[in-house]
């Protein structure tokens, strides 16, 4: 993806989410301490148009609050506890803004920003995310991914230098993304679900000069099987496990 990004790349999925509450600064900082090569996070807009980092469309599962993210203001979101659902020791951890993540770790890692405007596919998320990348001079450290092709096309139009990666839904729902139809986007990388990865899929994507990064992989045997298929990276909740699985397999040069 970028010349100095190690391959196969270990992306810490929602941060080191096996060890800390997902999509929090604690999880991102820990991912770096655990030597992840990159972090993955889920970005969406608050009611007042701020880019916030949270996976679900509601705050119900990962905070002590309730409601849809896009119906709560940043101020309301910031009042919530996004740590206790994971462990009492993380009480007080907040939902971060994308800007806070960029400020905290942007200069120290690569960041896969998943554009998760899945129930508002034409909103301003790509525009706002691109503005933040530019403001923090992170064009060489950010990758945009999404299941929403419109978000990717919009982001690339605004900032052609930032690579885009198409996420493929698992199973039949993602078959278009894994096929020639997905190629029409001219993405830099395909991000398929782990059960859909075959040597043929990897070869066909590589043949077009693109990369394959696989989500979400948390078992050593599966990580190693993917390596034999020559995938370019994995998203994992457990960067420590991935390090162990990848020992001896690493190549820190990106020919692409
Ligand atoms: O980007 C890989 C992965 O995060 C996509 O699925 O639902 O965990 O955001 P999800
Ligand atoms: Mg994600």
């Amino acid at each position: 993806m970028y010349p100095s990004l190690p391959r196969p790349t270990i992306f810490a999925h929602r941060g080191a989410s096996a060890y800390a509450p997902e999509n929090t600064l604690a999880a991102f900082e820990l991912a770096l301490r655990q030597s992840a090569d990159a972090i993955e996070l889920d970005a969406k807009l608050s009611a007042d148009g701020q880019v916030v980092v949270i996976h679900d469309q509601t705050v119900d599962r990962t905070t002590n609050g309730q409601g849809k993210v896009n119906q709560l203001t940043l101020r309301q979101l910031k009042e919530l506890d996004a740590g206790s659902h994971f462990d009492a020791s993380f009480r007080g951890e907040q939902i971060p803004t994308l800007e806070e993540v960029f400020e905290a770790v942007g200069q120290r890692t690569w960041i896969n920003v998943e554009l998760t405007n899945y129930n508002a596919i034409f909103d301003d998320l790509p525009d706002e995310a691109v503005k933040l990348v530019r403001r923090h001079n992170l064009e060489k450290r950010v990758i945009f991914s999404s299941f929403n092709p419109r978000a990717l096309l919009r982001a690339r139009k605004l900032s052609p230098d930032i690579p885009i990666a198409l996420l493929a839904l698992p199973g039949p729902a993602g078959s278009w993304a894994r096929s020639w139809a997905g190629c029409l986007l001219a993405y830099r990388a395909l991000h398929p679900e782990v059960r859909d990865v075959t040597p043929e899929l990897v070869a066909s994507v590589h043949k077009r000069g693109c990369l394959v990064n696989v989500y979400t992989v948390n078992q050593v045997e599966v990580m190693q099987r993917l390596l034999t298929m020559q995938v370019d990276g994995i998203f994992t909740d457990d960067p420590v496990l991935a390090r162990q699985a990848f020992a001896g397999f690493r190549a820190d040069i990106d020919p692409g």
Side-chain angles (χ1 to χ4, degrees):
M1 196 79 68
Y2 294 116
S4 53
L5 183 58
R7 296 238 302 269
T9 310
I10 299 170
F11 292 88
H13 179 240
R14 312 180 194 173
S17 55
Y19 303 90
E22 64 181 60
N23 282 317
T24 62
L25 291 181
F28 300 134
E29 291 283 2
L30 184 57
L32 267 56
R33 290 203 295 280
Q34 292 180 344
S35 302
D37 302 308
I39 60 169
E40 186 265 359
L41 57 79
D42 302 293
K44 50 178 58 69
L45 290 182
S46 64
D48 49 346
Q50 303 298 307
V51 186
V52 292
V53 177
I54 178 169
H55 178 269
D56 297 2
Q57 302 296 339
T58 74
V59 299
D60 302 10
R61 180 179 61 86
T62 56
T63 77
N64 58 344
Q66 280 190 325
K68 290 186 176 168
V69 176
N70 65 8
Q71 291 178 1
L72 294 165
T73 63
L74 179 59
R75 192 169 166 184
Q76 289 171 317
L77 292 167
K78 279 291 183 187
E79 283 167 5
L80 304 178
D81 174 359
S84 296
H85 75 96
F86 184 84
D87 188 89
S89 61
F90 290 101
R91 186 164 168 259
E93 199 66 37
Q94 293 181 337
I95 296 171
T97 62
L98 185 59
E99 178 138 51
E100 286 168 343
V101 179
F102 284 172
E103 281 168 0
V105 300
Q107 298 300 332
R108 290 186 283 146
T109 191
W110 284 265
I111 305 177
N112 183 132
V113 176
E114 183 182 342
L115 300 169
T116 65
N117 54 346
Y118 300 131
N119 57 8
I121 60 172
F122 294 108
D123 73 10
D124 287 336
L125 177 65
D127 306 58
E128 295 304 315
V130 165
K131 268 189 229 167
L132 290 169
V133 173
R134 288 225 179 96
R135 192 183 303 159
H136 291 268
N137 298 313
L138 291 175
E139 290 91 337
K140 293 269 182 281
R141 286 187 173 273
V142 165
I143 300 150
F144 285 126
S145 70
S146 189
F147 295 103
N148 171 7
R150 191 265 166 187
L152 295 175
L153 293 174
R154 177 71 184 154
R156 185 171 57 195
K157 187 171 179 205
L158 294 168
S159 193
D161 292 347
I162 303 173
I164 59 168
L166 179 62
L167 275 158
L169 284 165
S175 59
W176 72 268
R178 296 188 298 272
S179 74
W180 59 269
C183 304
L184 295 177
L185 262 76
Y187 54 70
R188 184 75 187 92
L190 180 70
H191 291 182
E193 205 264 350
V194 58
R195 287 165 296 178
D196 294 314
V197 180
T198 60
E200 293 75 26
L201 176 67
V202 177
S204 75
V205 175
H206 282 172
K207 202 169 161 187
R208 288 184 281 104
C210 300
L211 307 180
V212 179
N213 299 315
V214 182
Y215 74 95
T216 300
V217 193
N218 290 322
Q219 291 170 297
V220 169
E221 317 81 66
V222 182
M223 291 172 183
Q224 292 180 335
R225 184 154 45 83
L226 289 168
L227 283 183
T228 65
M229 292 189 215
Q230 303 193 327
V231 306
D232 301 284
I234 61 161
F235 296 89
T236 181
D237 300 336
D238 192 338
V240 177
L241 200 66
R243 278 267 153 213
Q244 289 164 7
F246 284 14
F249 283 91
R250 299 298 297 258
D252 287 353
I253 296 169
D254 178 1

